[in-house]
Amino acid sequence: LEATRDSRGAPVVDLRSWRHASWRATVLLDWKQLAAAPPAVQADKDLLLGALMVSQGKVLAYAAASLKADRSLVLESVKFSEQALEWAAPELRSDRGFVMEAVAIRPPALCGATDDLREDRSLLLEAAELGRGTALAGAGPGVKRDRKFLLEVIALDPHATKHVPREMLHDRSFALEAVAKSGRALQYLMPAFQADREIVAAAIGENVAAALF
């Protein structure tokens, strides 16, 4: 640190700045130390941004409340962790527009939204239309039990198939309906179904590219 000088030209060290700089260095070496850092350090946005990559977004969990409500910082955190929304401020986790922004960046980030948004079928259909059907990974249990709705999502984005509950993926009738909605869903089915003549024929009938799977 460059010290300031008093009226006689003697160096004067600002201890608060020195401590802050020491904490910054500590956190950049071990991001988990932010949990024990002073409030001013936990509210240092530049420090948080610098620690996002090494912590894979988890450093947000120890940020000051003001930063957990910072839209740009939370969205940056989502790039590194699908759990980031779990650590965000309640007002962001319940903001449908903001959650859609997060899902556009990393679809499974939906898991950190409020329960009502995780069960929001219109949100999931909107995400699937944008090619973000894998947001289904973060959907609520009610949605994942809704067979008809799951097929709607698969029709819009076949990649959502990999996040369908196992019991449905092992259900031959569901598999047949899924490939009839989107032939590309075949790639996410169990090997026995990928070798099932009727299922494969239905998949290729819907999309000839399904022959690749």
Side-chain angles (χ1 to χ4, degrees), residues 131 133-134 154 157-166 168-170 174-175 178-179 182-194 199 203 210 213:
T134 52
I154 289 171
D157 184 359
H159 300 300
T161 309
K162 60 185 174 181
H163 298 298
V164 167
R166 184 180 297 275
M168 288 195 195
L169 286 180
H170 286 192
F174 180 85
V179 297
S182 176
R184 288 182 176 272
L186 182 65
Q187 64 189 298
Y188 300 112
L189 300 184
M190 58 193 294
F193 291 159
Q194 292 176 338
I199 292 176
F213 312 118

Side-chain angles (χ1 to χ4, degrees), residues 86-151:
E86 295 180 19
W87 306 309
E91 60 267 28
L92 293 185
R93 297 179 62 234
S94 61
D95 183 326
R96 190 182 189 282
F98 181 79
V99 170
M100 274 302 300
E101 287 185 66
V103 166
I105 293 171
R106 198 179 187 97
L110 181 61
C111 69
T114 52
D115 290 345
D116 61 322
L117 288 181
R118 293 180 64 216
E119 296 284 356
D120 187 330
R121 286 162 169 73
S122 64
L123 185 153
L124 280 159
L125 290 176
E126 186 179 336
E129 287 175 347
L130 296 172
R132 298 293 186 270
T134 52
L136 187 61
V143 166
K144 290 186 175 182
R145 288 193 297 265
D146 189 334
R147 179 186 181 112
K148 182 179 178 181
F149 178 74
L150 293 177
L151 290 169

